[in-house]
Amino acid sequence: MRHRIAGRKFGRNTNQRKALLRNLAVSLILNERITTTDAKAKTIRPVVEKLVTMSRDDTEHHRRLVMARLADERATAKLFDIIGPRFDGQPGGYTRIYKIGNRRGDGAPVSMIEFVA
């Protein structure tokens, strides 16, 4: 039974899992739409939404916090210059997940995650 066990491990150790989530977040910010498995899309959603919430208030402190989490200057700049101001009056719910179907190779359920506006 999985009672009181939160989070997904994706069959990876901690450092690999952190790198996976960081790379997915950077890809979503730069491309504004990515296709991935259902579990990864559901896991990356709160990570990206918290980053967007921080980027709505453009201060040096928030830029450094986002840069520490993303480690990508282009993604940080786009987040604060384009994506953050876009959601300025919206109180959350910045992403949406569409279920696409199953992947041909292994039958894994695949989803598309994108920014709402």
Side-chain angles (χ1 to χ4, degrees):
M1 287 182 279
R2 293 192 69 249
H3 296 267
R4 299 184 60 164
I5 299 175
R8 297 178 178 91
K9 291 190 178 180
F10 299 117
R12 292 166 166 87
N13 63 34
T14 306
N15 292 331
Q16 291 172 345
R17 191 167 48 252
K18 283 182 180 179
L20 171 75
L21 295 179
R22 180 182 301 125
N23 288 330
L24 282 172
V26 168
S27 295
L28 180 61
I29 290 166
L30 291 178
N31 300 318
E32 298 192 15
R33 175 184 295 172
I34 58 172
T35 302
T36 184
T37 62
D38 285 353
K40 289 177 186 173
K42 289 176 184 178
T43 303
I44 198 65
R45 176 183 233 169
V47 174
V48 172
E49 294 210 354
K50 287 172 187 168
L51 293 173
V52 172
T53 300
M54 268 196 278
S55 72
R56 288 171 48 187
D57 184 23
D58 190 2
T59 62
E60 186 67 26
H61 179 64
H62 284 165
R63 281 188 180 263
R64 287 181 178 175
L65 286 174
V66 170
M67 187 62 191
R69 285 166 176 76
L70 291 180
D72 189 280
E73 292 179 8
R74 292 181 308 138
T76 303
K78 182 171 182 178
L79 192 63
F80 279 92
D81 297 338
I82 298 170
I83 297 173
R86 186 190 309 170
F87 296 111
D88 200 19
Q90 191 168 338
Y94 313 118
T95 58
R96 126 183 351 125
I97 297 176
Y98 290 116
K99 296 195 186 271
I100 294 177
N102 293 333
R103 195 161 48 197
R104 184 182 171 116
D106 59 355
V110 176
S111 291
M112 180 179 67
I113 182 170
E114 66 179 3
F115 287 111
V116 172

